[in-house]
Amino acid sequence: MSALWEPGAHRLTLRVVLGQAHADAARELAEELVRGQVSFMLPHGDYLIVNQRRFLHGREALHSG
């Protein structure tokens, strides 16, 4: 593992050289995450509480309107 600090960067970037087995596992994980993805919109004013130890979550960029 090596650390890289780029001029103007706000954080340290770590580079890790992985073998083929790691690359295959990462690809399989990415494919599974996309396959199990669920997308929905919450009505204005609603919110959702998620246990972050049980679910991987994200959101798309907010749009005006």
Side-chain angles (χ1 to χ4, degrees):
M1 179 171 26
S2 63
L4 173 67
W5 181 261
E6 296 178 359
H10 297 287
R11 64 178 178 223
L12 185 66
T13 301
L14 294 178
R15 289 189 179 176
V16 179
V17 179
L18 302 176
Q20 189 60 44
H22 291 99
D24 292 342
R27 185 176 55 257
E28 288 180 29
L29 176 60
E31 290 171 358
E32 186 63 30
L33 291 174
V34 170
R35 187 174 21 259
Q37 183 173 329
V38 176
S39 180
F40 56 92
M41 296 268 307
L42 292 174
H44 181 74
D46 281 6
Y47 58 92
L48 177 67
I49 299 173
V50 177
N51 181 339
Q52 296 186 61
R53 293 179 185 232
R54 296 192 52 138
F55 296 95
L56 181 63
H57 63 87
R59 66 175 173 89
E60 293 181 13
L62 299 175
H63 303 284
S64 62

